[in-house]
Amino acid sequence: MKARYLCKSLSRLANGINGRILVLTGARQIGKTTIAKHLFPDYEYLSIEDPVLSQTLSAMTANQWKTVYPQAILDEAQNTTQEQMKMFLTRIGNGSKAVVNGDITQ
């Protein structure tokens, strides 16, 4: 029951006019990634911990990002450096949407 209510609430937020980024935070292993993948099956799943993605992202412009990743889930965001997070956030251009998962207590 709670899971269904949570999914409905998150879906309304994500599809609303409030913005392009949805941030999911919480303790470890409570299902943030599972919820994000369930709610947004068409979104590309990304982890900046992947060295290839990190290198590719640093070379992309916002327009390139929009073409390659118009909708993305960034997982384990608490493990990003400030530079990596800034790089990710500045690449999200008009028309792009992102879900950011992480544990802010780490």
Side-chain angles (χ1 to χ4, degrees):
M1 178 76 165
K2 288 182 184 180
R4 206 168 39 226
Y5 174 77
L6 179 62
C7 285
K8 282 183 183 179
S9 296
L10 289 173
S11 183
R12 278 196 301 268
L13 282 171
N15 295 318
I17 58 171
N18 295 329
R20 299 184 309 249
I21 302 172
L22 174 64
V23 178
L24 299 175
T25 64
R28 293 189 59 187
Q29 300 192 354
I30 61 166
K32 296 178 295 289
T33 301
T34 303
I35 289 171
K37 286 181 175 181
H38 174 74
L39 284 175
F40 310 103
D42 297 334
Y43 282 39
E44 187 73 29
Y45 177 80
L46 308 173
S47 175
I48 282 193
E49 291 177 316
D50 175 1
V52 173
L53 175 65
S54 187
Q55 188 176 21
T56 303
L57 182 59
S58 66
M60 293 177 93
T61 66
N63 285 333
Q64 290 170 325
W65 174 270
K66 182 179 170 183
T67 302
V68 178
Y69 303 115
Q71 300 171 322
I73 297 170
L74 176 64
D75 198 23
E76 300 295 333
Q78 77 274 7
N79 296 327
T80 62
T81 64
Q82 285 184 336
E83 293 81 22
Q84 288 172 320
M85 184 55 72
K86 182 178 178 181
M87 189 173 27
F88 176 78
L89 294 174
T90 58
R91 297 307 190 273
I92 301 170
N94 290 333
S96 296
K97 291 187 177 185
V99 177
V100 180
N101 291 340
D103 181 355
I104 59 174
T105 63
Q106 289 187 349

